[in-house]
Amino acid sequence: TAMDLGCNIGYFCFSLAQRGIVTLGIDMDDRVLRIARHASKRLSISKVGWCHLSLSKATLPLLPEVDLILLLSVWHHWVKEFGFEDASEMLSAIWTRCSRVLYFETGESEMPKDFGLPDMGPSPEKWVASYLADLCSGAGVECIGRFKAFGVRGDERHNVAYRHLFKVRRIDVRL
């Protein structure tokens, strides 16, 4: 089973469901979920479901336990909206809903100051890996790559932001 938090129109949900993995896509934007619902009907993909939910400390208990969680480009928005401490508590709570592996990606040093992200120093990769290891008890953390995220202010040639993708897995679970 899988869950994509901040799934948008469901690209990863569809990819997982087409591989036979029952997947729940969660997003706070009902407009993108209407598109995802329509696409799943048109494509006859039955192993995917959609939930309109704004995630917060109050709503996290509603989430099911699943084998795989995708938390991609969401955490830095939590830091901006709720503050670093609450965002950290939310991430820790998400980890309790994950029985096997969490894929995590977040804004790094390219994010504007108003997001309130901590200083990640000269190596955001090392900072995020250490942060995930501290918050996700019983986890092995692996950076599985660096990728081009987007062009800052639309500049795809000279001002490109790169981010890291992390795999956080339960150590006691064989993958």
Side-chain angles (χ1 to χ4, degrees):
T1 57
M3 183 167 48
D4 184 356
L5 305 176
C7 69
N8 200 279
I9 60 170
Y11 176 83
F12 295 113
C13 297
F14 289 125
S15 297
L16 291 164
Q18 287 175 324
R19 288 168 177 74
I21 300 169
V22 177
T23 304
L24 176 62
I26 297 177
D27 205 284
M28 63 185 220
D29 184 345
D30 196 43
R31 182 186 56 84
V32 298
L33 290 175
R34 284 194 307 272
I35 295 167
R37 284 185 193 101
H38 178 74
S40 57
K41 287 177 189 172
R42 295 275 304 194
L43 297 170
S44 299
I45 297 175
S46 61
K47 292 191 175 196
V48 65
W50 311 102
C51 179
H52 177 235
L53 182 66
S54 181
L55 294 170
S56 67
K57 285 177 23 176
T59 61
L60 289 178
L62 297 171
L63 299 179
E65 182 176 317
V66 294
D67 297 312
L68 164 73
I69 294 178
L70 300 176
L71 187 62
L72 307 175
S73 198
V74 171
W75 179 81
H76 57 277
H77 293 283
W78 291 349
V79 173
K80 184 177 184 179
E81 184 172 347
F82 305 116
F84 179 74
E85 187 175 312
D86 282 355
S88 297
E89 286 179 33
M90 290 171 67
L91 178 55
S92 185
I94 292 295
W95 179 242
T96 68
R97 303 289 193 206
C98 183
S99 64
R100 295 181 65 113
V101 65
L102 164 73
Y103 286 95
F104 180 88
E105 173 268 330
T106 189
E108 297 179 2
S109 55
E110 83 283 357
M111 298 306 296
K113 295 280 185 219
D114 68 329
F115 271 76
L117 293 178
D119 180 5
M120 296 181 185
S123 176
E125 174 187 353
K126 289 179 182 175
W127 187 93
V128 174
S130 176
Y131 174 74
L132 290 169
D134 288 345
L135 274 182
C136 301
S137 61
V141 177
E142 174 187 1
C143 179
I144 56 177
R146 182 174 181 250
F147 65 96
K148 177 181 168 183
F150 60 91
V152 178
R153 290 182 294 285
D155 182 354
E156 292 287 332
R157 291 183 24 176
H158 300 103
N159 203 9
V160 176
Y162 290 88
R163 292 184 178 171
H164 297 87
L165 180 63
F166 295 87
K167 178 181 179 181
V168 183
R169 66 172 180 81
R170 295 229 174 251
I171 294 173
D172 56 348
V173 175
R174 184 171 223 121
L175 297 178

